[in-house]
Amino acid sequence: MSGEGTPRRPALGVCYYPEHWPEERWATDAAMMREAGITVVRIGEFAWSRLEPAPGDLRLDWLRRAIETLEAAGLEIVLGTPTACPPKWLVDRSPDMLAVDREGRPRGFGARRHYCFSHPGYRDESARIVTVLAKAFGKHPALVAWQVDNEYGCHDTVLSYSAAARDGFRAWCAARYGTIDALNRAWGNVFWSMEYRAFDEIELPNLTVTEANPAQELAFRRYASEAVVVFNRRQVEIIRRLSPGRDVLHNFMGGFTDFDHFALSTDLDVATWDSYPLGHLERELRDEGRQRRYLRVGDPDFQAFHHDLYRACGRGRWWVMEQQPGAVNWAPHNPAPAPGAIRLWAQEAFAAGAEVVSFFRWRQAPFGQEQMHEALLLPDGRPNESYEVAASLCRELAALGPPGPPVPAEVALAFDYESAWAWEIQPQGRGFRYLDLCLGFYRALRRLGLAVDIVPARAEAVDGYRLVLLPGLFAEDPALAAALADGDQRVLLGPRSGSKTGEFQIPEVLPPGAFRSLIPLTVLRVESLPPFERLGIAGRGPASHFTLWREFVVAEAGVEVVDRTADGGIALAARGRAAYLAGLPSPAYALEIVERLARDAGLAPRRLPEGIRVRDLGPLRYVFNYGAAAQDVSDLLAGHDPVVGEAHLEPCGVVIGARKVQDA
Amino acid sequence: MSGEGTPRRPALGVCYYPEHWPEERWATDAAMMREAGITVVRIGEFAWSRLEPAPGDLRLDWLRRAIETLEAAGLEIVLGTPTACPPKWLVDRSPDMLAVDREGRPRGFGARRHYCFSHPGYRDESARIVTVLAKAFGKHPALVAWQVDNEYGCHDTVLSYSAAARDGFRAWCAARYGTIDALNRAWGNVFWSMEYRAFDEIELPNLTVTEANPAQELAFRRYASEAVVVFNRRQVEIIRRLSPGRDVLHNFMGGFTDFDHFALSTDLDVATWDSYPLGHLERELRDEGRQRRYLRVGDPDFQAFHHDLYRACGRGRWWVMEQQPGAVNWAPHNPAPAPGAIRLWAQEAFAAGAEVVSFFRWRQAPFGQEQMHEALLLPDGRPNESYEVAASLCRELAALGPPGPPVPAEVALAFDYESAWAWEIQPQGRGFRYLDLCLGFYRALRRLGLAVDIVPARAEAVDGYRLVLLPGLFAEDPALAAALADGDQRVLLGPRSGSKTGEFQIPEVLPPGAFRSLIPLTVLRVESLPPFERLGIAGRGPASHFTLWREFVVAEAGVEVVDRTADGGIALAARGRAAYLAGLPSPAYALEIVERLARDAGLAPRRLPEGIRVRDLGPLRYVFNYGAAAQDVSDLLAGHDPVVGEAHLEPCGVVIGARKVQDA
Amino acid sequence: MSGEGTPRRPALGVCYYPEHWPEERWATDAAMMREAGITVVRIGEFAWSRLEPAPGDLRLDWLRRAIETLEAAGLEIVLGTPTACPPKWLVDRSPDMLAVDREGRPRGFGARRHYCFSHPGYRDESARIVTVLAKAFGKHPALVAWQVDNEYGCHDTVLSYSAAARDGFRAWCAARYGTIDALNRAWGNVFWSMEYRAFDEIELPNLTVTEANPAQELAFRRYASEAVVVFNRRQVEIIRRLSPGRDVLHNFMGGFTDFDHFALSTDLDVATWDSYPLGHLERELRDEGRQRRYLRVGDPDFQAFHHDLYRACGRGRWWVMEQQPGAVNWAPHNPAPAPGAIRLWAQEAFAAGAEVVSFFRWRQAPFGQEQMHEALLLPDGRPNESYEVAASLCRELAALGPPGPPVPAEVALAFDYESAWAWEIQPQGRGFRYLDLCLGFYRALRRLGLAVDIVPARAEAVDGYRLVLLPGLFAEDPALAAALADGDQRVLLGPRSGSKTGEFQIPEVLPPGAFRSLIPLTVLRVESLPPFERLGIAGRGPASHFTLWREFVVAEAGVEVVDRTADGGIALAARGRAAYLAGLPSPAYALEIVERLARDAGLAPRRLPEGIRVRDLGPLRYVFNYGAAAQDVSDLLAGHDPVVGEAHLEPCGVVIGARKVQDA
């Protein structure tokens, strides 16, 4: 698990809070973990008030004893830095360390994440406590990894409108733009007389009379994202210095785009994320149809998308740091997972290359905000059902042995955090969401049985794929355009791709800006449509249409019009390896488009049955059933011998086949 | 009506504002009241600016003359203390007396209830003005009762986040927990490093980054409720000292649970409530189906529930202090009552034992916030339709004569204000409301023709009943459990009963905690479900199901599984006299459960027709028709001779039968 | 175009921002404008930061050069005063010049309209910059008109809760009421002890515990409206002094009633409004049925209503200052206009007597908040489709020649801004909107092919009409009642007409107050109904009913009951020339009522086909097709010779016929 070696894989882990339980219990817990087959345990995040109950009064002994207890049971430790929960005394000493919300109200003590990333004093305090911990435990043999802070941005904490943030933003602007005239030009501040005379006149874009300048909004989003990266890096540097050889990781959140996970991950060894399929289903997806269909099993693609995303963030190394073990407490409604769902989720993660799947949490807390969040143990310390599921999973994993090398994906889907901010700032049509747009294409790819890499939208990231999708990539990027023009990938652009410059202006050559070098067409105008309006695609069935968004495109000579809208506009155009899609496709139309592109790219897409998904890992083929009915998946296992499960796949079923030798 | 004697009953009253009208009109008003048969008149609340137009400038003469005018017409006076409306000069002298809302904004002058219960200065000012009034009028022969303040908590005023509230809360915590360590343990503050080092570090649970600790929320709710009780008690003590022999009462609001009405009522002689059936229908019930069905007659059970609740609060003595007389002004929509509805409401109240039903208000104000609120008189001083209704009611009451002794109920439904707070703090599933849960069981009992006592959830309150329902009672209670174990009542527990300790932690033995002594089973896990999901009950019809909430229960030996969910879980379990319900029942299922329990308890439930309700009072049987169609209710009147109305009951009809002598 | 002569009509104009583009481009733009046939160009509003980049550092040369460039192309200039966008340095010097929102938060710099109308310092600064501009350009020969500020009230900026507004309101109260006792009586402050002892005790009606006194709310709305008028007048007076002979105008917003446009217009020469049919359709009308039907063409009556309204405000002289040229950026969804819709809109405006229809804007900005707002030119400077539409329109207008004299309308619909405030303050039923009520009657009149004047609700404004509608006119008005009693107009009153005094009290004689002199009946009570409830009209079809609102009316002798509600109440009553409507009519019932009244008034209503609308201007008859299907409108053109278009009218079609000589 250490940064120096190769981690044993796959492994199960668990999140544990020794400070919540009597010390006498610790050894029992450790023994029960081992008995289930769990080998990795995360501790320490949120414990600042116990590590330093009063200023300078450091109490590290209990943590040392906890580590030793766990170590004695053969467990490997991931130590969390406690900076997500500064203690009350620290807040009282620096009340201005609190974040300020968009309405101008300080976000006070009494829960967690009560700090502003921009506050220099809190950055120093964070560095101080991390230094203390890294000195104390950094070279402990049981320590295999550090988790820096916890779920950056959770509870909408990336954007703070505090005085510290304002000062930080001003300095950031000065560094980025050099002169105030350059900033005024970049933002187009001549519009509505928004011009500044000096950097210290700049205001934050909240509490304006109507919406602020989108360029300023984007700049502030960039600043705020970088503030998270800088905050994180300061801890990472301390850890690297004082705790050599240990992996450094952070646990990101699903469906969360307020800061750039790619950028932050460059400072990490491993990217991890917190996967709560049922909570995400209701809260992140907001699609009652899917919620009805997948109430207790979760969306079949949401987790998979994030697995692929964080594999990219971690440059191949990634974990699920928190895995839902039962009903949770934070979604509007919190159903229990279907029988088999927890195993299904874990196996999908391992099939996607996870090194560790760690359950949150070990034992249900009888107190505090998460007392209704299930755990592997009941609040009374007895095993919950999920404890048995975890134990069974460990046995299954042991039987499978170490995984083979990953099978390279031939399709890349670019995911770009700045684009998420851009379209949040300027949806232009209520309901336009970048994540939904990308998820829509991801679903289509996955329904077609194609392996996908999620990649950052950079020239160097798209090399080697047969098909690259860049939907909704907001900013034109000459380097990326050039790389794609020079390469041999098929490329799908649109809608909205390249419709802005990096400073949130419309490109001089009009959208798709620099991407016109790939396909010479121009988006002259756009329209957004209310939910009831469906713009049909000529010659296709009623399920194929544009919703919410459509562009009026003029194509130059040599561009083929592949599809037209029912009113005669260009829906899909292509030239050579490049295609441009001029609207937001319905799921059926997205499937048709991707299927065609994949075929053109020499891939072999095949439409999987509803609810069935497939992944290859080394010689193993995993088939999953997220649907409500049993399915025979023999055809998907052709050329494979089942090693786990069988081709008749019950709901929540997983079958794993090993590639027959003659096929290898 | 005095606290010393037995009030003449039943009586009609009215709320009157002499300060709104020319003094020349007063005698006319008094005469018109008497002519209608009204005998009780409430005055004085809201009149502070006329009683003391400037600091210390007391002007009591006009009130004395008003009282004398009313007295001369033979009317009995209820005098309101004016503390719900402090005058502007008082607010200007102590701006920090204002409450502060959850968002941190002072709630300013310009309407009513603009004060914080915690503010010591305002408590003193309230005591001062009440002392003045009690000295001046406390022994006036026409004065029969005092109303303290008006509708405590109206407009969401129980919870204030002011500095005064924070200081009061800190002191309350110190008194309750003794040491800060005890508080930290009680609240589980080790979670997320929320530990305090001293009581003066404690913050109020608003403007936190995400939800505050539920234990702290509950503590703050308790504190806030007690602040109301303390505020009220201070006035009561003054009144008792200076105005002996007069009843002291307060007018509570329907559907309102922000403070503990049982606790406050211990300081009162009579509990009263303000009954607005049509306003409540839309605003409190939020059920469009019921709103369509009962648009102009009001919910058939909502008022009845409150009648029974306030009869309990008043230990048998209760009034309707404000009765809707026509369309009101404060619901989203304000329809006119159906012909007959006003009489129906009043008779239902008298059947439930009300001493007085008092209309709000005498004459419609042509100015101010309530100018669209109807009254017995039109704004021009002529009788409105409801004046004639009131007069007719008085004649009907006179003909009926004094009521007989109440018929003791054999079913008790526990209603617990802390449980309402607990599930508001932690619904766990959006839409879970304690009041709805209790109302659901109440409806079922009433549909079955059973008389119900609403009781506080205390050991001493459940004695003597054949059936006790404790749905959703949040905190385990060993004393109550022991009382029930020792008694001979049938008991229904669940869902959620006993699922917390009194400090909002999960009990060590898991839910239902101490109530496991009644029925040995354990709730291991729970789930909440979105509105579209219905969890059927095996072997029952499609209308019988759980919605929104279900528990996973493990029963020990000796427990009978009465019903199972369609997926095989325990729905209803029983052992001996105790039963446990593991979910939120649909109305049809609630009816089936209650019917079964009532039969087992030796009661005689019978399903009443839709819209028909029945009550017994002494030898009288009242039958009400809230439905849209006429009904023949002869069977319900078997053994009774109609003395008012007839068995063919039109919509809004009331028939009253006297028990035949041979049946007595 | 000058105030001294007769403007050339009709003309097309455009809004232009030379400061957004390189100076080298200006001549090209001017030439392209002329080539299209555009003759009027608005510039300068929003340019303060370029006119005065630092305090006192005036830079007028660029504007002079821009004017000269436009003049050289033969264009006439409308110069906007830049006061809607004070520069940052001005805000930094007087932070208290910012408006404060209802929640108490300052509304900061970073967009536009960041000032409080009540702030004396900002009034002075506005006067200063306008003086500078008027001195510099007031007598420039190309300057034909001034636009004062821009879209007063946009972004909810009329109501400010700042200290400046509070002080201004106190002074206004002192001037209006004379003594604090008079104010207390006028507002009914005895209610809830809201009495003040002095004017400087008065608070603004925000952040009260529950709703404030409606009389105070109305007074504050009046004050705020007058503050806009005063702010505007100060600029107008400077302009009149320094720039004689130029028209002074302002561009009002559609569907916007926060200040009194009639009152402000008395200081203007021309009233103009900003017409965005597709944006209004979704945002102002909130009617999904109409949105589906008219998605890309806009509501058939909303623009027409405003044309007639601003013709009244401008005493005959009015423009469309901003005309939607394509998709916009500010509605929840922003569809593209249907082919032909832009021409349809412009011709409807000219048919209603517009002197100028000016497109917003010339060239789409690639930066700033409105970068997604289409324009006549694309962001790259090439013509957009709408440029060709504009050019074609100019040719069409030229062929038509100058318009004849307006045809006087015989129907007047009173529109009263105070009534809009009154019913916003006291809807009594959620969803009751005064504008909707008036629009409902306007639609009925227009469906019947009747020409309508919108008029202020004043005695002198209703003279000379055959039919006057006064729906929802909140305040009784003895002078208006007398004028109508003395005249010979048919009059429709109700619902809610005359139901208050001017100080927001219920009239002593009850509603309709002074209007009882027209028809002797009394509204005793009212009710508001939820959306699902429909109160049928006896003897009429199911589409004819009351919704949301109904009154209980008692009529005196001599009043004819024309219609009754299904439950027997009075729906429509009449005596002589006056009728009273006792509820909110469904569209079908409104049509029936208006048709009957029009016939009684000797008019010739005829039901136009769905989507077809008609207007006469001089000898010309315009017929418009807003519907989705083609229509033959030959019968509407009887007696006319088509000069533009033909009787077979396609969707978005316009046909213009000239009255045959024998018919003249």
Side-chain angles (χ1 to χ4, degrees), chain B residues 255-286:
Chain B
F256 185 83
T257 57
D258 278 359
F259 66 96
D260 188 332
H261 297 190
F262 287 118
L264 191 136
S265 293
T266 60
D267 293 313
L268 305 177
D269 299 301
V270 181
T272 83
W273 80 289
D274 296 347
S275 175
Y276 292 92
L278 304 192
H280 296 316
L281 180 69
E282 184 170 12
R283 204 171 71 169
E284 255 60 71
L285 291 171
R286 290 174 276 181

Side-chain angles (χ1 to χ4, degrees), chain B residues 49 88 105 296 336 371, chain C residues 103 195 201 207 500 527-528:
Chain B
S49 75
K88 184 65 178 7
R105 298 167 304 201
R296 297 174 184 283
Q371 57 184 262
Chain C
E103 310 303 313
E195 289 166 307
E201 281 187 356
L207 295 175
K500 305 288 172 186
E527 67 173 352
S528 56

